Amino acid sequence: MTAVALPIAARLRRGASRSRLGLLLDAVFSSGLFVGTFLGVLALGLLLWTVYDRGWERLASDPSGFFANFVSRFPARAGIKAALYGTAWLMGLTALFSFPIGVGAAVYLEEFAPRNRLTSFVEANIANLAGVPSVVYGILGLGVFVRFMRMGPSLLAGGLTLALMSLPLIIIAARESLRAVPVSIRLAAYALGATKWQAVRHHVLPAAMPGTMTGVILSLSRAIGETAPLIVIGAAVSIFNTPDDVRDPFSALPVLIFNWTSRPQPAFAEAAAAAGIVLLAMLLAMNTVAIFLRKRFATRW
Amino acid sequence: MSQNPLTLNHDVNDATRSAGPTRRPEVPTSPDIAVVPDTDPVFQISDLSFFYGAFRAIRDVSMDVRGNQITAVIGPSGCGKSTFIRCLNRMNELIPGTRVAGRIDYHGQDLYADDVDPIEVRRRIGMVFQKPNPFPKSIYDNVAFGPKVNGLKPASMDDLVEESLRRAALWDEVKDKVKKSAFSLSGGQQQRLCIARCIAVKPEVILMDEPCSALDPLATNRIEELMIELKQDYTIVIVTHNMQQAARVSDRTAFFTAEVSDEGRERTGVLVELDRTEKIFTAPGDRRTEDYITGRFG
Ligand SMILES: Nc1ncnc2c1ncn2[C@@H]1O[C@H](COP(=O)(O)OP(=O)(O)OP(=O)(O)O)[C@@H](O)[C@H]1O
Ligand SMILES: [Mg+2]
């Protein structure tokens, strides 16, 4: 037993009980992970900087015009008013449809559904739906809402399509947060003579709400950044009034950006980047709210 | 056993004095505890078995629980104590794949009869859990929830909340902060809040599954005092691992143990004996009880 003879300082020294290879691997992995994180942040920084660099001048030179004008053949006079309104309407409609349905489905699956084949089939398919490309939802929206239900390329059809697209993620996020509510809370409610619905309604659902809201906002922010499904169902660019009804045709920021970037004039590319800044600002604001909700209201059990 | 409910058991003190095996928990001999009037049975349990799937957790338990008494349930870990008391308010059936056999009469009514609503059962037979489990809401809302969902319409909810908190010996500590989160309370206070919440729905029976196991001796003491006070109005069944606690608070004690059944290798819980607490701790009728309370149990 030579170790007994070693002084304490030697026994506590780095590497005293670990091989050199172990220490080396430790260093390699932690620096590898750091580089990975760094690359991710770098890519995001580059993206933000490019958009800022290309679009900021255009945005700052005439901000009121940029927000207040409709589109135009002349890049200097073109603005994003219709698209901004359209995106705001879409966001509201998408939230309106997807939130109650998504949370309802999550509550049913998590709290009430019998554990049988049908339920696991539905659960597996929700996970699959979350992976379906957004353009496919556009095709679905075109077939069902625009044509079959005769909604035309309206805000309603757009909102419903984006809501359908957001549903799987909302259901998954809501179920996660429902599952995070400890069983002991449900038992406490039952032991007081509460029905299942009362336990869910008064305790489980409120406790799961911050997590659910975070999921809802994140999937909403994904939805309003979507271009493909809106183009497929027929979102327009040349719209010269703001919508005042869900049956109105609409434009949206990502659609407008797509349109502007495909034009030859460099000034339109700048306008597209400027609109991109607006869209990014909206998304970042939403994500900030989501993080805030999670940090501020989440129950720590 | 149809004794006159007013008969007092004077033989208790004699039993305490008789020399018994060593290392027995100290049995309190103050007259108000040692003298137990026989009250009417609230529960009459006959041949109760409980199954988790194919696993039989308790077998053929027959006993009764008397009103306005504290009945302690003791026994080694895994012998089915929790399973047993969860049968008394039908909490067990919330676990899918479980089955109950035998019969539990509650004031003469079969608890598991088809037309009995488990929700109604749980309102009348309240439960306090091992780990304090307040709702993530204010102290006030914790207490007011039960009355609200049960459609109790007290003249004043504030008064009902205050009365319940007083009865649970918590009012003085929280009266200035009833709107604060229940999570801001200490573990012992949270457990008393759970008791207050339970009392607020005006149950007839309170089941407690190791209510003090997460608490320090002082908080434990408060809850024990509280239980003794509450038995004026309620019937209490308490599961405990702490034999001193059983000896201190309970009127009657049921000793459960796990036995390897004839059918297979599984260990099934059985009731070994139920008797006055003094008797169980001084002159148990069964060898296994004696081994357990003197610490000879493996
Ligand atoms: N939900 C469950 N599903 C399956 N088996 C269970 C369940 N709960 C308990 N059991 C089993 O039933 C038996 C009795 O458990 P129970 O919790 O009633 O014991 P206990 O006497 O309360 O133990 P402890 O003193 O450790 O709390 C154990 O073998 C346990 O594994
Ligand atoms: Mg237990």
Side-chain angles (χ1 to χ4, degrees), chain A residues 25-139:
Chain A
L25 281 178
D26 198 37
V28 167
F29 278 118
S30 51
S31 40
L33 292 175
F34 173 77
V35 169
T37 315
F38 180 73
L39 283 179
V41 174
L42 188 75
L44 182 68
L46 263 176
L47 175 86
L48 288 177
W49 192 78
T50 330
V51 177
Y52 171 82
D53 186 45
R54 293 225 201 118
W56 186 251
E57 246 184 73
R58 174 69 181 84
L59 189 61
S61 63
D62 178 21
S64 52
F66 191 65
F67 283 107
N69 291 346
F70 290 104
V71 288
S72 159
R73 274 191 300 134
F74 309 104
R77 262 191 260 152
I80 59 170
K81 187 169 185 182
L84 196 60
Y85 272 75
T87 289
W89 270 85
L90 282 177
M91 193 156 65
L93 287 171
T94 307
L96 190 71
F97 298 130
S98 62
F99 179 71
I101 298 176
V103 174
V107 167
Y108 174 74
L109 286 173
E110 204 52 50
E111 309 286 334
F112 293 93
R115 294 269 154 257
N116 58 21
R117 281 258 201 68
L118 181 67
T119 310
S120 19
F121 179 75
V122 171
E123 284 170 354
N125 278 291
I126 287 173
N128 287 337
L129 283 176
V132 170
S134 60
V135 67
V136 177
Y137 281 99
I139 296 171

Side-chain angles (χ1 to χ4, degrees), chain B residues 52 55 57 76-83 86 95 210 241:
Chain B
Y52 294 103
F55 169 60
S77 186
C79 68
K81 306 180 294 295
S82 300
T83 303
R86 285 198 304 257
I95 307 165
E210 300 184 43
H241 271 290

Side-chain angles (χ1 to χ4, degrees), chain B residues 21 24 255-257 259 270-275 279-294 296-297:
Chain B
R24 270 199 186 120
F255 173 66
F256 280 65
T257 195
E259 260 184 3
V270 291
L271 170 68
V272 175
E273 61 177 316
L274 164 73
D275 214 321
K279 178 116 190 320
I280 291 282
F281 283 105
T282 53
D286 196 290
R287 178 88 210 165
R288 290 168 290 178
T289 317
E290 168 131 14
D291 287 351
Y292 183 73
I293 59 172
T294 54
R296 275 200 289 267
F297 186 86

Side-chain angles (χ1 to χ4, degrees), chain A residues 184-185 187-196 198-199 202-203 206-207 299-301, chain B residues 91 94 119 122-123 125-127 129 133-137 145 149-150 183 197-198 201:
Chain A
S184 62
I185 291 304
L187 293 182
Y190 296 143
L192 292 169
T195 61
K196 205 164 191 180
Q198 286 168 330
H202 290 277
H203 299 296
T299 318
R300 268 183 285 283
W301 299 102
Chain B
M91 283 297 271
L94 296 168
I119 308 280
R122 290 181 208 128
R123 181 177 101 55
I125 305 172
M127 185 158 205
F129 297 82
N133 56 352
F135 300 123
K137 305 224 152 138
F145 172 72
V149 291
N150 284 294
F183 283 18
R197 175 174 80 177
C198 177
V201 299

